[in-house]
Amino acid sequence: MDSQSRPNDPASELPSLGDRLRERRKALKLTLKEVADRADFSVGFISQIERGITVPSLTSLVAVCRVLKVEVGTFLNSPRVASPFTRHDQRRAYALAGSPDSNISYERLSASFPGSVLRSTVVHTPPGHRSEAMTHEGEEMFFILQGSLTIEIDGEQTVLETGDSAHFLSGLTHLTWNHTTEPTVILHTCTMDVFGDAQATETPEGAFAVTRAEDRRSAAANPGKGSG
């Protein structure tokens, strides 16, 4: 599936994501500030989600859903994957339920089985898309399949090109930005339960690392070199 693929859009017939979140918030008698404080986001960000100005990432939606005490799976059109295999020409791209299909879309890769902790997707990020700054439990990895991506981890910005990767502790404040005029395709793997398959795991210890495709190729060609 290429970067121009878009999800089949039965979600477009649903109430918007923002409307559904606002309705749930009001049912719980919570203010925007209370939701923002508990989810560790700004009031402006929560307001933009409710007004349909911003579509949250999967990880930030999980944080909001926890505050609102609703399953994140309610807003996903992704079926569980029982098989250990997926086929590139059979995966269906999907978006958050009730969000316009011009926004970021996903292809689920990871299977669902008891004890699984890895959640993996191919993410199609449109030009100019910028995520909100966030922190959460677990760890995650980005591998750039196509295009370029700016990633900021703990205040430090790094530009990742095709073949580059980043692996870091999700408890560090992080955000991403497709600074280009073309779609960026990312392999994203994390331990946060972004699909609502199971309870999230505890935060592991660790830091973060960025690798370059050309450096990995050089290391493979010269296995005797390097620090140790």
Side-chain angles (χ1 to χ4, degrees):
M1 182 171 296
D2 62 33
S3 62
Q4 301 300 321
S5 297
R6 289 298 178 191
N8 297 327
D9 201 22
S12 62
E13 300 176 2
L14 297 172
S16 73
L17 173 66
D19 287 342
R20 297 168 72 189
L21 291 175
R22 183 191 300 110
E23 181 180 354
R24 177 62 178 171
R25 174 177 64 81
K26 290 185 174 181
L28 295 177
K29 301 187 185 319
L30 295 174
T31 66
L32 283 170
K33 187 176 187 308
E34 287 173 327
V35 173
D37 288 347
R38 296 178 191 180
D40 200 22
F41 293 125
S42 68
V43 173
F45 176 64
I46 301 299
S47 176
Q48 288 178 347
I49 294 176
E50 290 192 356
R51 289 183 290 154
I53 297 174
T54 296
V55 176
S57 65
L58 286 178
T59 48
S60 57
L61 179 61
V62 170
V64 174
C65 285
R66 286 175 177 173
V67 175
L68 298 179
K69 300 178 181 178
V70 63
E71 291 293 331
V72 67
T74 303
F75 304 101
L76 298 178
N77 292 322
S78 171
R80 291 194 176 191
V81 178
S83 169
F85 309 106
T86 69
R87 302 294 184 184
H88 70 92
D89 57 348
Q90 296 175 9
R91 290 192 300 268
R92 178 175 59 86
Y94 65 95
L96 297 181
S99 66
D101 64 357
S102 60
N103 285 291
I104 191 168
S105 62
Y106 306 84
E107 297 174 55
R108 179 167 177 170
L109 302 180
S110 54
S112 176
F113 52 84
S116 63
V117 296
L118 296 181
R119 276 79 187 185
S120 187
T121 57
V122 173
V123 186
H124 300 267
T125 307
H129 182 274
R130 188 184 188 98
S131 76
E132 63 287 352
M134 70 187 86
T135 62
H136 53 87
E137 78 281 354
E139 59 182 302
E140 58 195 284
M141 176 176 283
F142 288 80
F143 183 89
I144 310 304
L145 297 172
Q146 176 184 316
S148 180
L149 186 77
T150 295
I151 184 167
E152 181 177 311
I153 305 172
D154 204 25
E156 180 179 347
Q157 286 193 356
T158 303
V159 175
L160 300 178
E161 305 290 350
T162 300
D164 294 342
S165 69
H167 180 205
F168 57 95
L169 178 70
S170 302
L172 299 173
T173 300
H174 56 282
L175 62 87
T176 60
W177 172 39
N178 181 356
H179 59 275
T180 76
T181 58
E182 299 294 332
T184 296
V185 185
I186 307 156
L187 171 61
H188 178 249
T189 298
C190 67
T191 56
M192 187 180 193
D193 186 18
V194 293
F195 300 119
D197 289 342
Q199 292 185 347
T201 59
E202 295 183 357
T203 304
E205 298 295 329
F208 68 89
V210 174
T211 67
R212 300 292 185 187
E214 58 185 23
D215 294 340
R216 293 197 302 271
R217 288 192 292 269
S218 176
N222 301 278
K225 295 182 179 181
S227 59

